[in-house]
Amino acid sequence: ITEQGARFRSYVDGRIFKLSPEESIAIQTAIGSDIMMVLDECVQSTVDDSVALKAMERTHRWALRSLAARTNPDQALFAIMQGGLVPELRRQSAAFLTQHPFDGFAVGGLAVGDSRSQREDVTAYAAELLPADRPRYLMGVGTPPDLLYAIGCGIDMFDCVIPTSLAWQGTA
């Protein structure tokens, strides 16, 4: 991860790919995404506050670059709140992102090292900070108890790898 974007190796052939915020938006535009997500830096939720702060600030800069790269206003663009388990960072992230014309807001950086209790505390706090008149999306959280709790907090949308992982294991 650098200020320019993320670099990763293909699991298929080992080639190196670089993904900038602008390239991410261009790809999502090209495939006709109904909802596009800004590129963010997601660190473990339990990292040191200074690491969470740096990732949050980079996510904010990338969010603005993503917004500037958007070419089709019919495709919704969601910003991603970061800040780990630190309430003040979550507050700062929401305050910054909601000043900009995003169509919805995601709560990122949870279910990556935190306990259910910590996740619930941050989910409830984050949902209160985001505008109720735009979709609020909880990223990467998907157990039935987590979903029910988050719905009660005002979260509208979810995604998670759990259903796919369970399907691979033959679980109904």
Side-chain angles (χ1 to χ4, degrees), residues 3-158:
E3 194 62 33
Q4 287 69 45
R7 187 175 68 105
F8 57 95
R9 183 178 306 278
S10 167
Y11 72 94
V12 175
D13 60 11
R15 287 187 300 152
I16 299 293
F17 290 91
K18 294 179 183 174
L19 185 65
S20 70
E22 295 83 3
E23 290 166 319
S24 173
I25 295 301
I27 291 167
Q28 293 176 81
T29 300
I31 64 172
S33 296
D34 293 321
I35 299 172
M36 301 187 296
M37 302 302 298
V38 302
L39 188 63
D40 71 320
E41 182 177 357
C42 179
V43 296
Q44 280 214 329
S45 58
T46 56
V47 295
D48 183 72
D49 293 7
S50 64
V51 174
L53 172 65
K54 288 179 184 173
M56 178 194 77
E57 289 173 337
R58 176 171 285 142
T59 295
H60 292 172
R61 291 188 298 273
W62 284 357
L64 295 181
R65 288 171 55 189
S66 297
L67 196 56
R70 178 187 194 181
T71 58
N72 184 352
D74 293 332
Q75 292 174 285
L77 180 59
F78 281 35
I80 304 173
M81 173 200 282
Q82 289 291 350
L85 299 175
V86 185
E88 176 57 20
L89 294 182
R90 292 289 177 165
R91 186 197 64 72
Q92 289 176 27
S93 190
F96 178 84
L97 295 171
T98 57
Q99 292 177 37
H100 301 283
F102 291 103
D103 301 297
F105 297 94
V107 178
L110 292 177
V112 283
D114 44 81
S115 69
R116 172 167 277 140
S117 175
Q118 290 170 316
R119 187 167 46 255
E120 287 178 351
D121 289 347
V122 172
T123 298
Y125 184 67
E128 289 178 8
L129 298 171
L130 297 174
D133 66 340
R134 284 182 262 170
R136 293 175 286 185
Y137 162 39
L138 183 58
M139 303 180 79
V141 176
T143 67
D146 286 331
L147 297 179
L148 292 173
Y149 182 81
I151 290 166
C153 294
I155 298 294
D156 305 297
M157 303 166 65
F158 307 89

